[in-house]
Amino acid sequence: MDNDLQQRVKIDRPLYEQEQLDKDCQYERPSKKHFDCFNCKPIGILHKTIPVLKWLPKYQWRKDLLGDFIAGFTIAIMNIPQGMAYSLLANVPPITGIYTAVFPVLTYFIFGTSKHNSVGTFAVTCLMTGKTVLEYSDPSYFNPGSTASSGEGYSPLQVATATSLTVAFVMIIMYCLRLGIISTLLSDTLVSGFTTAAAFHVFTSQIKDIFGLVIPKQKGYFTVVKTWVSVFEEIKNVNYVALTISITCIIVLVLYNEGVKPKLAKRCAFPVPIELIIVVLGTVLSYYLKLEEVYKLNVVGSIPSGLPEPSLPPLDLIDDIIIDAIVIAIVSYALSLSLALIFAQKYNYEVDANQELLAQGFSNAVGSFFSCIPATASLTRTMILQAVGSKTQLHSVVSCGFLIVALMWLGPLLETLPISVLASLIVVALKGLFLQLGDFIRIWKLSKLDALVWMITFLSVVFVNMDIGLLVGFLLSLTQIIIMGFKPYTCLLGSVPNTDIYLDSRRYKMAIPLNGIKLFHYSGGLSFALRNTFKLELYRLVGIHPQKELRIRRKIAKMKEEDDISIGNLNISKFNNKIEKLKSKTTMDISCLILDFSAVSYIDSSGVTTLKTIGEDFALIGIPVYVAGCDGPVYEMMQRCRLFNEPKSSIRIFPTVHDAVQSAMAVFNLGDLNSISVISKI
């Protein structure tokens, strides 16, 4: 700090105990506010439930429209190749991904609170949906060489739309129960390990299309291992045309993204749609070179034009897919909310976590009636949105407008597009997820426990299955929270001379222990689960076990009361040595024990009972216990449990540690106390 800013502040006030402070400062416990529907303004409820009604009338058309229009056009172009490619991960027709970029997006525009989230297909959730589709669809849809169903089961699209509807139900129920906080239990470490491992699943699922192989789709556990075994068994039957197309597309995309794109970004207002260009070129070359007929290349096939007719998903599937839907709902919500919060913080606006549940729930519900798979926010598209100047969710309307026009006539033109082109787009798009492997090294340096959660989650997802891996990671994260909760921070405090500051004496050399006073600092909750930990840490750091202390003192007193005959039979020096040895095991230099509760976040009745016991035990050896710095809820719990009215207890309560120290110094003549004047440097 500069010398001209250094100054000294003098604080002059009475010494307070908590009860006197409550009287002087007019303490009053706040009453609980209950939600009263009759006192709520209908317009406020409407604006909260349908946010578009609040912000759209205030939209600054001249200032923001151009940015939203460019952003919407850019995202529409990106959604065509991405939607078709990610549909392959969900095991549904390619056109489904474009539908998912329209109907859920328009619904989110009405109910969402994020200005930047680009809702639609996303690799991880599409892959999770694809697992469910593969599990419950008619197997004949996935048998090599078969194009028709046996008529005995559900089609992939039926399973996908049923999954989307079930995900919507889960999210709406979570919204009604205000369970948006569940997403906070998915730590950044867990999400990083899960999504990185999911990238290996995505990559593995595209290997057969990259090499042009015909292998059966694997389901159940260990799908990655089974798929790679099948790939190595069939590698001799590789389609070299498909492999050549894949390698060419990957090389072009990588060279563009790593070399050309950064330079163009400095000159162009919006990115060049390289993915769409590759899709168009691949379609044209495939059509004129007749790659399907001549080289047996797998192509997209029939794509309907126009918009899908609304239809009800099969409701009898809900019971079977509910567990998968819960997992998809939690993952998609956590990913979307984390993105929304990042950009809300960056651009200084609010995102309602529970309203996001309602928005995504309604989006998936509407989408399920229009042949859509579960939708969530995409990291890449959201980053592009803010990069090209998107201001509000109005970009969604622009994007959907362009896509609806494209759906009316574009579909049949893409029927000859090679599947290997879409597979190449997916593989290149995984770069960001694969780079998250570097997170493990960073996390390892910061916390070995976090790194363990990351690695076990990653390995479980890769080698077992995505839902099992997520469950394992979730349980590990909860275990980590519990373990850390059972390791509260404790220390003895020392006084910084001429200030009212008290610091950890192990960490600060200037923090001097006070003569005759022990200051014990406890950080964390004091509940039934931690009461023994609190007591043991207190006894360990203070160096006193009251019961043992009392027994030793009584033994010494009893020995001193022995008659002269008993002493005469002993050697006097040995007797005195025995007394001194017993005295060395006692703590005679402590006059007062102060418990710093300024960092105690919670206390229950068991914790208060423990405090009563400690106060009574220390009172038996003549050491009073002062409690200092309690927050309001902690203090109120102590009052309700009548902690300060116990006749056997010596506990007194003070608003600050300094008040407790000054009172102890006055009571036990440990120093001069004329006032509570304090001089501190700031």
Side-chain angles (χ1 to χ4, degrees):
M1 185 180 293
D2 296 333
N3 291 330
D4 58 344
L5 294 180
Q6 289 183 352
Q7 50 186 309
R8 299 174 74 84
V9 175
K10 183 176 182 179
I11 303 170
D12 192 0
R13 64 168 174 81
L15 188 154
Y16 278 117
E17 282 196 50
Q18 188 70 47
E19 185 177 358
Q20 187 62 44
L21 181 69
D22 292 347
K23 291 179 181 179
D24 291 355
C25 296
Q26 300 179 358
Y27 168 80
E28 182 179 353
R29 185 180 176 187
S31 59
K32 294 183 178 179
K33 295 182 179 180
H34 298 282
F35 182 73
D36 187 0
C37 295
F38 297 102
N39 294 329
C40 292
K41 296 181 179 180
I43 191 66
I45 297 176
L46 193 63
H47 283 169
K48 187 174 180 64
T49 307
I50 310 177
V52 69
L53 297 178
K54 183 177 181 180
W55 65 262
L56 190 57
K58 302 177 183 177
Y59 185 79
Q60 300 179 4
W61 295 92
R62 292 184 179 180
K63 181 181 178 182
D64 297 338
L65 182 59
L66 180 61
D68 285 337
F69 183 86
I70 294 175
F73 176 73
T74 304
I75 293 303
I77 292 175
M78 290 184 65
N79 266 317
I80 294 173
Q82 276 196 5
M84 297 179 68
Y86 290 156
S87 295
L88 300 181
L89 299 177
N91 293 316
V92 293
I95 196 67
T96 307
I98 302 180
Y99 295 156
T100 307
V102 176
F103 298 100
V105 174
L106 288 175
T107 309
Y108 185 83
F109 163 77
I110 298 172
F111 295 99
T113 59
S114 172
K115 298 179 181 180
H116 293 88
N117 269 7
S118 177
V119 177
T121 55
F122 184 60
V124 175
T125 52
C126 285
L127 186 68
M128 298 173 74
T129 304
K131 168 188 169 295
T132 306
V133 169
L134 189 63
E135 188 75 23
Y136 295 100
S137 298
D138 190 328
S140 62
Y141 280 98
F142 303 106
N143 287 340
S146 175
T147 58
S149 170
S150 64
E152 297 178 356
Y154 299 104
S155 69
L157 190 57
Q158 285 180 309
V159 178
T161 55
T163 303
S164 187
L165 182 62
T166 311
V167 167
F169 286 155
V170 172
M171 287 184 166
I172 293 173
I173 291 172
M174 289 173 64
Y175 165 77
C176 294
L177 298 177
R178 294 295 189 264
L179 295 180
I181 194 173
I182 287 179
S183 66
T184 61
L185 296 178
L186 300 180
S187 65
D188 293 341
T189 301
L190 170 60
V191 172
S192 173
F194 175 77
T195 54
T196 306
F200 281 84
H201 277 269
V202 175
F203 179 77
T204 300
S205 69
Q206 299 307 300
I207 284 296
K208 63 181 182 60
D209 295 320
I210 294 288
F211 286 91
L213 300 175
V214 179
I215 59 175
K217 289 184 177 290
Q218 306 292 340
K219 59 183 180 179
Y221 301 132
F222 311 107
T223 55
V224 170
V225 177
K226 292 177 183 177
T227 301
W228 279 103
V229 170
S230 298
V231 167
F232 284 115
E233 289 176 350
E234 293 292 324
I235 196 68
K236 58 183 180 295
N237 298 321
V238 62
N239 187 317
Y240 290 100
V241 175
L243 182 60
T244 301
I245 292 174
S246 301
I247 293 175
T248 303
C249 291
I250 291 173
I251 291 175
V252 170
L253 285 168
V254 170
L255 290 178
Y256 173 80
N257 290 335
E258 301 301 324
V260 180
K261 187 176 180 179
K263 297 178 181 178
L264 285 179
K266 300 177 181 179
R267 301 181 181 181
C268 298
F270 54 90
V272 175
I274 185 66
E275 292 88 356
L276 184 60
I277 293 173
I278 288 177
V279 165
V280 172
L281 289 176
T283 303
V284 171
L285 290 175
S286 176
Y287 176 79
Y288 285 105
L289 297 178
K290 300 186 181 301
L291 297 181
E292 182 183 13
E293 295 86 351
V294 177
Y295 299 102
K296 306 298 181 184
L297 201 65
N298 193 13
V299 297
V300 168
S302 177
I303 298 179
S305 59
L307 299 176
E309 295 183 0
S311 61
L312 182 67
L315 300 181
D316 51 344
L317 260 176
I318 292 178
D319 290 341
D320 296 325
I321 64 177
I322 183 64
I323 300 300
D324 290 344
I326 290 174
V327 176
I328 294 172
I330 292 175
V331 170
S332 62
Y333 173 66
L335 293 173
S336 293
L337 183 63
S338 61
L339 273 179
L341 292 175
I342 288 172
F343 290 100
Q345 183 178 9
K346 183 175 182 180
Y347 292 98
N348 194 27
Y349 64 89
E350 295 295 326
V351 169
D352 188 330
N354 279 301
Q355 180 63 25
E356 285 295 298
L357 273 173
L358 183 67
Q360 291 190 52
F362 281 167
S363 297
N364 284 307
V366 171
S368 67
F369 292 97
F370 292 94
S371 303
C372 297
I373 55 181
T376 189
S378 164
L379 173 61
T380 54
R381 292 196 305 271
T382 302
M383 294 291 291
I384 292 295
L385 270 177
Q386 65 93 25
V388 298
S390 172
K391 303 297 182 182
T392 70
Q393 272 294 333
L394 195 67
H395 72 262
S396 302
V397 178
V398 178
S399 173
C400 293
F402 281 111
L403 287 175
I404 289 172
V405 172
L407 284 169
M408 300 306 293
W409 60 270
L410 183 63
L413 299 179
L414 296 174
E415 291 180 354
T416 59
L417 173 64
I419 294 294
S420 56
V421 172
L422 295 178
S424 302
L425 297 180
I426 293 173
V427 169
V428 175
L430 293 175
K431 174 195 170 185
L433 294 178
F434 281 128
L435 288 178
Q436 289 181 167
L437 284 168
D439 288 353
F440 177 75
I441 299 175
R442 176 181 59 82
I443 293 170
W444 177 265
K445 293 178 180 178
L446 297 175
S447 169
K448 302 298 186 290
L449 195 57
D450 283 342
L452 183 64
V453 172
W454 193 100
M455 182 55 67
I456 293 179
T457 302
F458 174 83
L459 294 176
S460 300
V461 172
V462 170
F463 291 106
V464 183
N465 208 343
M466 294 184 68
D467 49 0
I468 297 297
L470 182 63
L471 177 62
V472 169
F474 182 74
L475 293 176
L476 284 173
S477 293
L478 286 181
T479 304
Q480 181 184 12
I481 293 173
I482 294 172
I483 291 174
M484 297 308 296
F486 276 89
K487 295 176 64 177
Y489 169 60
T490 60
C491 67
L492 287 181
L493 300 179
S495 173
V496 178
N498 300 320
T499 73
D500 62 342
I501 299 174
Y502 299 89
L503 302 173
D504 186 346
S505 57
R506 293 175 301 180
R507 287 178 165 83
Y508 294 90
K509 294 181 179 179
M510 286 291 293
I512 302 171
L514 293 170
N515 182 36
I517 300 174
K518 290 286 187 178
L519 289 171
F520 176 75
H521 175 82
Y522 182 86
S523 178
L526 181 49
S527 63
F528 68 93
L530 289 167
R531 57 186 176 181
N532 288 331
T533 301
F534 171 80
K535 184 185 291 187
L536 292 175
E537 282 294 296
L538 173 65
Y539 293 167
R540 181 181 68 85
L541 289 177
V542 174
I544 301 175
H545 193 296
Q547 296 293 340
K548 292 181 180 179
E549 184 89 7
L550 184 61
R551 287 196 298 269
I552 294 173
R553 290 186 181 185
R554 286 176 175 173
K555 189 173 182 179
I556 292 174
K558 185 178 180 180
M559 291 178 64
K560 287 183 177 180
E561 291 174 358
E562 291 180 345
D563 54 23
D564 295 338
I565 297 174
S566 299
I567 296 176
N569 294 331
L570 294 173
N571 184 295
I572 297 298
S573 61
K574 288 184 178 181
F575 178 80
N576 290 334
N577 289 337
K578 193 172 183 179
I579 292 289
E580 292 300 323
K581 188 175 181 181
L582 287 173
K583 285 184 177 181
S584 67
K585 296 180 180 180
T586 65
T587 306
M588 300 294 193
D589 60 340
I590 299 179
S591 301
C592 182
L593 172 62
I594 299 176
L595 306 180
D596 177 15
F597 272 25
S598 59
V600 173
S601 56
Y602 168 77
I603 190 170
D604 63 5
S605 58
S606 298
V608 177
T609 301
T610 301
L611 276 181
K612 288 181 182 179
T613 304
I614 290 173
E616 292 170 0
D617 289 348
F618 275 95
L620 292 175
I621 59 175
I623 299 178
V625 177
Y626 294 176
V627 178
C630 296
D631 289 334
V634 174
Y635 173 60
E636 288 158 8
M637 175 59 77
M638 292 178 178
Q639 279 187 317
R640 287 198 297 270
C641 296
R642 303 178 63 83
L643 173 64
F644 314 117
N645 299 324
E646 292 293 325
K648 296 181 181 180
S649 175
S650 60
I651 292 181
R652 295 167 63 187
I653 187 165
F654 294 84
T656 69
V657 173
H658 195 61
D659 286 289
V661 169
Q662 294 293 307
S663 177
M665 292 174 67
V667 170
F668 300 103
N669 296 318
L670 301 175
D672 295 330
L673 180 66
N674 298 321
S675 69
I676 198 168
S677 298
V678 183
I679 297 178
S680 305
K681 274 189 179 182
I682 60 172

